[in-house]
Amino acid sequence: FFFFFFFFSFHFLTKMKYCVAYDGSAAADSAVQFLTLLLTDNDMVSVYNGYKPSKNSTKTAARLSHATELCSKAQNLVNTHCPNVHVDLAARLTTEVRDDLIEFCEEKFDLLVMGTRGLGVFKRVLLGSLSTHVVNHTKSVSVCIVPSQESIRRKPFLICADGSAPSTRAGELLSKLLKPTDSVHALCLYERGVGITRADLLATTEMVETHKKSQKEKAESKVHPILALLKDRQVTPDDNLSASVLETHDVKQGIVDYLVENPNYMAVVMGSRGLATASRLVLGSVSNHVIHHCSLPVIITH
């Protein structure tokens, strides 16, 4: 009884503000469907659609009308599942939808939810990706990228833990999204061989095993803060929290491989370190890799 009283008090005082980008596509429909699973009656939603101007005023007016119709469609989809949630419409005239969406959302919303069409690597390089651009350039708002799916059901959440500040922020956001019956699994991956010197390679088997044990213990210590945060918030029963620490050859691909073997999650929650563009090109980005290779919704915090 105490747990449920604490939970509902916490969520009553925590009004979440969501924005959903909607263009009428199957991916956008999936994004709205996912959003409805997160919503409570106390939350607020804005539906965004950006349309470009035309030299012909009649065409511009027609585009505005179409954008408004799409926003209204998304509003109806939300209110069909969540009739008590207030939904605002934002059909905006802009020459660059990607940047306007970011400007519209910054400092105003807790989470931006949008679909992805799943462009291949070649097309992303040539044409760019709206979802990739938004994830890489937002500074304050968290972003949820939802691939096109026939149906989305409420399942456990997977949170990726690495002991960093972005990972902690991911845990804080997740605590606001959870409902009383939700389960959370925290995953920490560590790369095999990291920290091994040339002298270690010549060491005895016992010394190598000691090093491996130390690596695992360090990884386990990175999971504890996330579990402690969720327990402290009392947003879900302690029995619904679990964790695993696994060794992998590459963290980015390791997360994807784990989800292939364990697909029964509603979404993946992870932090982004906010690498500059040059760093992302040279080093890659864990969050970008997961977004483009994962078949589940991915929530990225900044």
Side-chain angles (χ1 to χ4, degrees), residues 51-160:
Y51 66 99
K52 294 186 177 182
S54 170
K55 294 180 179 179
N56 186 308
S57 59
T58 301
K59 289 184 178 180
T60 299
R63 291 176 182 178
L64 169 60
S65 177
H66 181 62
T68 304
E69 288 177 5
L70 289 174
C71 289
S72 296
K73 179 184 176 183
Q75 180 185 37
N76 291 334
L77 290 173
V78 170
N79 286 144
T80 295
H81 297 279
C82 308
N84 296 323
V85 171
H86 178 75
V87 182
D88 290 322
L89 307 185
R92 288 167 60 99
L93 179 68
T94 176
T95 56
E96 179 51 71
V97 174
R98 301 185 305 179
D99 294 332
D100 184 66
L101 175 58
I102 294 172
E103 180 184 349
F104 177 71
C105 290
E106 290 286 22
E107 307 293 343
K108 300 175 185 175
F109 298 98
D110 299 297
L111 185 65
L112 164 62
V113 183
M114 57 191 303
T116 177
R117 298 173 185 268
L119 293 177
V121 176
F122 184 69
K123 286 186 177 180
R124 285 201 305 272
V125 172
L126 289 180
L127 304 177
S129 162
L130 175 60
S131 57
T132 300
H133 182 85
V134 171
V135 167
N136 290 338
H137 291 84
T138 52
K139 297 179 180 179
S140 63
V141 65
S142 298
V143 183
C144 177
I145 305 299
V146 184
S148 180
Q149 296 177 312
E150 290 185 4
S151 63
I152 302 176
R153 295 182 293 110
R154 194 142 195 122
K155 299 178 183 178
F157 286 86
L158 177 71
I159 182 166
C160 298

Side-chain angles (χ1 to χ4, degrees), residues 17-278:
K17 296 181 180 180
Y18 297 94
C19 177
V20 59
Y22 190 78
D23 63 2
S25 65
D29 286 337
S30 294
V32 173
Q33 184 182 2
F34 179 83
L35 173 62
T36 60
L37 295 178
L38 301 178
L39 293 173
T40 62
D41 289 348
N42 205 38
D43 296 330
M44 297 177 63
V45 175
S46 286
V47 180
Y48 172 94
N49 181 281
Y51 66 99
K52 294 186 177 182
S54 170
K55 294 180 179 179
N56 186 308
S57 59
T58 301
K59 289 184 178 180
T60 299
R63 291 176 182 178
L64 169 60
S65 177
H66 181 62
T68 304
E69 288 177 5
L70 289 174
C71 289
S72 296
K73 179 184 176 183
Q75 180 185 37
N76 291 334
L77 290 173
V78 170
N79 286 144
T80 295
H81 297 279
C82 308
N84 296 323
V85 171
H86 178 75
V87 182
D88 290 322
L89 307 185
R92 288 167 60 99
L93 179 68
T94 176
T95 56
E96 179 51 71
V97 174
R98 301 185 305 179
D99 294 332
D100 184 66
L101 175 58
I102 294 172
E103 180 184 349
F104 177 71
C105 290
E106 290 286 22
E107 307 293 343
K108 300 175 185 175
F109 298 98
D110 299 297
L111 185 65
L112 164 62
V113 183
M114 57 191 303
T116 177
R117 298 173 185 268
L119 293 177
V121 176
F122 184 69
K123 286 186 177 180
R124 285 201 305 272
V125 172
L126 289 180
L127 304 177
S129 162
L130 175 60
S131 57
T132 300
H133 182 85
V134 171
V135 167
N136 290 338
H137 291 84
T138 52
K139 297 179 180 179
S140 63
V141 65
S142 298
V143 183
C144 177
I145 305 299
V146 184
S148 180
Q149 296 177 312
E150 290 185 4
S151 63
I152 302 176
R153 295 182 293 110
R154 194 142 195 122
K155 299 178 183 178
F157 286 86
L158 177 71
I159 182 166
C160 298
D162 65 4
S164 66
S167 176
T168 300
R169 288 194 290 271
E172 291 171 348
L173 175 64
L174 179 58
S175 71
K176 299 175 183 178
L177 302 178
L178 293 175
K179 295 186 178 181
T181 57
D182 284 336
S183 297
V184 178
H185 187 76
L187 173 68
C188 181
L189 299 180
Y190 64 98
E191 295 183 3
R192 61 174 65 101
V194 173
I196 294 180
T197 65
R198 185 175 181 180
D200 292 329
L201 296 176
L202 301 175
T204 64
T205 301
E206 182 180 353
M207 292 178 67
V208 172
E209 291 302 318
T210 299
H211 180 83
K212 288 183 178 180
K213 182 180 178 181
S214 175
Q215 276 189 305
K216 186 172 183 180
E217 289 174 348
K218 288 181 180 179
E220 289 173 344
S221 69
K222 296 177 181 179
V223 171
H224 296 156
I226 293 294
L227 296 180
L229 185 154
L230 295 175
K231 288 181 180 180
D232 182 61
R233 297 288 175 87
Q234 299 187 37
V235 288
T236 192
D238 290 357
D239 291 342
N240 288 6
L241 302 175
S242 58
S244 58
V245 175
L246 304 173
E247 184 184 60
T248 183
H249 69 284
D250 177 75
V251 171
K252 297 193 298 289
Q253 188 57 39
I255 295 173
V256 175
D257 292 341
Y258 177 86
L259 290 168
V260 170
E261 297 175 3
N262 305 273
N264 195 34
Y265 291 103
M266 177 175 163
V268 184
V269 186
M270 58 194 306
S272 173
R273 294 177 182 270
L275 295 175
T277 302

